[in-house]
Amino acid sequence: QVQLVESGGGLVQPGGSLRLSCVASTTIFRVYNMGWYRQAPGKQRELVAAITSGGSTNYADSVKGRFTISRDNAKNTVYLQMNSLKPDDTAVYYCNLNNFRVEYWGQGTQVTVSS
């Protein structure tokens, strides 16, 4: 069983920036694909950004050019740098770890964008 612990959420003004972090407990972090998802009240969970074990990335159209996903395998950590934040970015953000046969989720961290 893999544990994922998110941090870095909070309250930020529109146009501001925030960096989320997710630390994984596995000893073979480097072989997994990682992703960030978010869920706003009354809406379905959606993929925000993903990064493969090989370093390839993809983003939701709504965050392209504003968000950047990265990973540090030496620290077992995946990051989500969020810039130019909008009120529509308000959601609980979840860290995801997966490969061809398993999938694990973090508990989530709240991001609120409001003036």
Side-chain angles (χ1 to χ4, degrees):
Q1 193 91 358
V2 177
Q3 289 187 323
L4 304 172
V5 181
E6 300 105 329
S7 63
L11 175 64
V12 64
Q13 294 183 1
S17 297
L18 214 56
R19 189 181 74 159
L20 306 183
S21 300
C22 172
V23 180
S25 64
T26 177
T27 59
I28 52 170
F29 176 79
R30 68 188 187 282
V31 311
Y32 290 104
N33 307 306
M34 302 296 298
W36 286 99
Y37 291 72
R38 68 187 181 188
Q39 187 167 24
K43 296 188 176 182
Q44 299 225 7
R45 187 174 298 187
E46 65 174 351
L47 176 68
V48 177
I51 184 166
T52 69
S53 60
S56 298
T57 61
N58 65 276
Y59 299 89
D61 287 342
S62 60
V63 307
K64 285 181 180 176
R66 300 189 298 122
F67 291 10
T68 303
I69 189 170
S70 62
R71 65 192 296 162
D72 186 339
N73 291 336
K75 296 181 178 179
N76 277 22
T77 302
V78 63
Y79 303 96
L80 185 67
Q81 178 66 47
M82 304 184 293
N83 299 325
S84 301
L85 283 161
K86 307 173 180 179
D88 283 350
D89 296 318
T90 295
V92 178
Y93 284 70
Y94 297 92
C95 180
N96 173 272
L97 174 150
N98 69 90
N99 67 4
F100 71 98
R101 74 180 193 95
V102 301
E103 186 175 60
Y104 294 96
W105 294 91
Q107 294 299 305
T109 184
Q110 176 71 49
V111 171
T112 302
V113 184
S114 176
S115 59

